[in-house]
Amino acid sequence: MPANLTPVYRKAEEAYRNAREPGEKLEHLKEMLRTIPKHKGTDHLQGDIKRWIKEITEEIGAAKQSGKKKGPVHSIRREGAAQIALLGAPNAGKSQLHSQLTGSKADIGPYPFTTKLPQPGMLPFEDIYFQLVDMPPISSDYIEGWIVNSLQPADGVLVVVDLADPACAEHIQAILQQLTERKIDLHGYWPGLRSPKPLPEPAFDEDGEEIIGDPFRISLPAILVGNKSDLVNDPAAELQVLTELLELDFPTAHVSALTGAGCETVSALLFKALQIVRVYTKQPGKPADTSRPFTLRRGQTVFDVATQVHKDIATGLRYGKIWGTEAYAGQQVGPEHALADKDIIELHMK
Ligand SMILES: Nc1nc2c(ncn2[C@@H]2O[C@H](COP(=O)(O)OP(=O)(O)O)[C@@H](O)[C@H]2O)c(=O)[nH]1
Ligand SMILES: [Mg+2]
């Protein structure tokens, strides 16, 4: 990374990293381009910023025009508690699994490359949903360039493998390599399953300037899903050999997307791994609205729920009253109070 990046630039970059919506990302990218020091050392980064501005502008344009037969939409708007992408080699059974888990009519076929565009669907878990996005395949000699765009809003990945395929270890290696080359790293650290990924030690260049990572590299938690368990004798053993061979630290699950065996474990695993917290809101003197929880992550607060309800409520928020397992009934808490799963909350304004 080049030196001499100014605090203003870094602030824009930080905002870009944290932005989720394409419109917001675009705004911060423009700010990055405007504020980046223009010299040889930043040429590469300037090029990357311009390329992403172009990509995101096109995506936004395509999304606006969809229905009017414009360009295809590659980036699916996040819905539900989290967005999870299905990745895997051709014929691993991604589309079959998508269909089994979401009830979608994803294109399933005994021929490779049946799935051409990302396809969203909703995977239910108790009273919430995860958004599952079926993706085209990745192999050693094939990857859609736009998969990188599609993965920008994702919260995690299911890497689907065909346990009955003798070459499945090579397939996984090829997928990880293809993604790494495109600045997407998969890892096995999920907040609810294993302690958080250790942050790299800060590094400094010879001018004493902190070397910061490439803003366009993304790192996503992954689960290895061994599919077609109906075709092997001991799917758990096959999976274990696979993770040891590849020295992979991903959590695993084994399923048959065809028969449905093991499929119910996937949503429960995601719920635990992502540390989803459901919160129900209520009006003073009325029962809680239990029809639709707001979903947060462990550690998120009363203020974060208020933000989801309405930004004016967040701005005017004074305190919350909570009914739940980690508070006494009607306990008054400040905006910074972290919520627990199934808390009921009343939001009080100034
Ligand atoms: N026996 C068996 N076949 C499966 C299973 N999942 C998928 N298939 C078959 O594998 C082929 C490829 O599936 P598809 O979902 O299109 O794979 P994709 O390319 O990864 O999307 C299809 O013929 C499916 O019917 C499974 O769990 N067991
Ligand atoms: Mg498919």
Side-chain angles (χ1 to χ4, degrees):
M1 275 289 109
N4 306 323
L5 293 172
T6 59
V8 190
Y9 169 80
R10 287 188 177 179
K11 211 176 138 215
E13 193 182 276
E14 168 90 21
Y16 167 77
R17 281 184 210 258
N18 294 330
R20 304 302 307 243
E21 293 300 322
E24 225 188 308
K25 276 184 176 283
L26 184 60
E27 194 183 307
H28 298 305
L29 278 169
K30 287 181 178 169
E31 180 68 7
M32 283 163 70
L33 186 61
R34 215 175 54 73
T35 56
I36 191 167
K38 311 286 190 301
H39 57 72
K40 261 252 153 283
T42 65
D43 269 359
H44 203 78
L45 193 50
Q46 288 185 52
D48 277 353
I49 297 170
K50 286 179 190 162
R51 198 168 48 76
W52 274 104
I53 289 179
K54 186 166 170 278
E55 299 263 349
I56 296 184
T57 307
E58 277 171 16
E59 280 295 334
I60 293 174
K64 280 213 182 103
Q65 302 269 322
S66 66
K68 284 195 217 157
K69 271 209 164 244
K70 189 72 194 319
V73 178
H74 296 132
S75 164
I76 305 287
R77 202 189 140 85
R78 283 167 96 233
E79 278 176 45
Q83 185 184 88
I84 306 293
L86 290 172
L87 297 179
N91 284 321
K94 299 173 292 298
S95 298
Q96 183 92 51
L97 184 63
H98 189 264
S99 158
Q100 177 70 242
L101 293 176
T102 69
S104 74
K105 304 270 183 297
D107 299 323
I108 303 160
Y111 354 85
F113 312 111
T114 317
T115 310
K116 300 267 163 34
L117 284 172
Q119 156 126 17
M122 298 312 269
L123 159 65
F125 176 76
E126 296 180 355
D127 55 355
I128 60 166
Y129 288 89
F130 296 103
Q131 186 182 44
L132 275 197
V133 184
D134 190 18
M135 293 283 192
I138 302 176
S139 65
S140 58
D141 54 8
Y142 176 86
I143 182 171
E144 295 278 6
W146 50 257
I147 274 194
V148 178
N149 295 19
S150 305
L151 289 173
Q152 298 298 317
D155 296 288
V157 169
L158 301 182
V159 177
V160 183
V161 294
D162 176 351
L163 288 176
D165 182 345
C168 67
E170 286 99 276
H171 292 322
I172 299 172
Q173 258 166 339
I175 290 163
L176 297 180
Q177 193 185 336
Q178 288 278 28
L179 291 172
T180 303
E181 283 170 13
R182 285 161 184 80
K183 301 188 182 182
I184 292 173
D185 303 313
L186 302 187
H187 61 78
Y189 293 92
W190 294 78
L193 301 181
R194 193 170 321 154
S195 45
K197 197 176 176 188
L199 288 172
E201 291 285 318
F204 299 91
D205 66 13
E206 58 269 31
D207 301 327
E209 182 124 9
E210 189 176 344
I211 300 169
I212 45 170
D214 182 341
F216 300 109
R217 253 206 122 76
I218 61 172
S219 166
L220 291 169
I223 292 170
L224 182 65
V225 179
N227 186 33
K228 309 199 187 182
S229 63
D230 57 294
L231 299 180
V232 295
N233 285 330
D234 189 344
E238 296 285 346
L239 262 177
Q240 198 186 337
V241 171
L242 202 53
T243 52
E244 283 180 21
L245 263 179
L246 295 168
E247 296 179 10
L248 268 189
D249 64 351
F250 300 177
T252 60
H254 54 83
V255 300
S256 168
L258 195 63
T259 68
C263 283
E264 71 291 344
T265 60
V266 176
S267 57
L269 184 59
L270 285 172
F271 182 81
K272 184 166 181 237
L274 290 159
Q275 289 195 313
I276 303 291
V277 167
R278 289 164 289 188
V279 176
Y280 307 86
T281 52
K282 79 185 274 304
Q283 308 274 349
K286 292 197 185 144
D289 176 7
T290 51
S291 64
R292 189 180 80 112
F294 288 90
T295 58
L296 307 163
R297 304 296 181 82
R298 185 91 197 163
Q300 286 196 288
T301 64
V302 176
F303 180 79
D304 294 318
V305 188
T307 310
Q308 284 194 32
V309 178
H310 196 278
K311 72 175 191 313
D312 292 345
I313 297 192
T315 320
L317 182 68
R318 197 151 69 91
Y319 66 90
K321 272 178 130 184
I322 295 194
W323 289 260
T325 50
E326 292 176 15
Y328 60 80
Q331 183 176 340
Q332 187 171 322
V333 292
E336 71 299 332
H337 177 85
L339 293 154
D341 188 37
K342 294 192 177 168
D343 274 353
I344 292 170
I345 184 161
E346 235 174 59
L347 297 168
H348 290 262
M349 319 256 299
K350 286 178 188 128

